[in-house]
Amino acid sequence: MSTAPYPLLPLIQAEEAEAVEPCCPPLNERPLTAEEAERTAKMFKALGDPVRLRLFSAVASHEGGEACVCDISDVGVSQPTVSHHLKKLKEAGLLSSERRGTWVYYRVEPAVLAAMSLVLTRAATA
């Protein structure tokens, strides 16, 4: 067990990508290690694209905490482009997915939102 003053969160398994641990200390607690900075930058870089941010927001705010790709694909780009952006969000560990019949359902793991929020909110309020 770690003695870190921030809560440790579980690993998020992203298909076709290495496991991403979505946690690091708040930015004002101590300097990030190289590994923590790499992990955190990967998540924020994935959200740096407006289409990806809209898709992430659509999934995160969807009723029930998950969304069928058929419900979130109206973001002004073609379906193959939507699929590309969803794949990038999954590779960054921000989304997980499950195929049900012909549709794929996406969800944001609560640990991801909690970790990203923790990184920024403690820094902003300190």
Side-chain angles (χ1 to χ4, degrees), residues 91-105:
E91 288 174 347
L94 296 168
L95 294 180
S96 59
S97 67
E98 178 183 348
R99 179 171 291 282
R100 298 181 196 153
T102 58
W103 296 109
V104 177
Y105 287 77

Side-chain angles (χ1 to χ4, degrees), residues 15 24 26 30-31 34 38 46 83 85 94 104 118 122 125:
E15 291 177 19
C24 66
R30 63 168 170 76
E38 185 72 31
S83 295
H85 286 301
L94 296 168
V104 177
L118 181 66
R122 284 207 185 151
T125 60

Side-chain angles (χ1 to χ4, degrees), residues 37-94:
E38 185 72 31
R39 230 180 7 247
T40 305
K42 186 185 275 189
M43 290 190 302
F44 284 107
K45 182 178 179 181
L47 292 174
D49 181 280
V51 172
R52 287 186 204 144
L53 187 56
R54 287 186 67 199
L55 288 168
F56 184 77
S57 175
V59 173
S61 64
H62 201 269
E63 187 177 331
E66 69 176 8
C68 174
V69 69
C70 61
D71 294 329
I72 59 170
S73 59
D74 187 21
V75 291
V77 296
S78 67
Q79 182 57 47
T81 303
V82 167
S83 295
H84 165 77
H85 286 301
L86 289 169
K87 179 181 176 185
K88 293 296 185 183
L89 290 168
K90 282 180 60 176
E91 288 174 347
L94 296 168

Side-chain angles (χ1 to χ4, degrees), residues 5 7 12-13 21 29 37 49-50 62 70 86 88 106 111 114 120 124:
I12 302 298
Q13 298 297 325
E21 183 182 15
E29 183 177 292
D49 181 280
H62 201 269
C70 61
L86 289 169
K88 293 296 185 183
Y106 291 88
L120 298 175

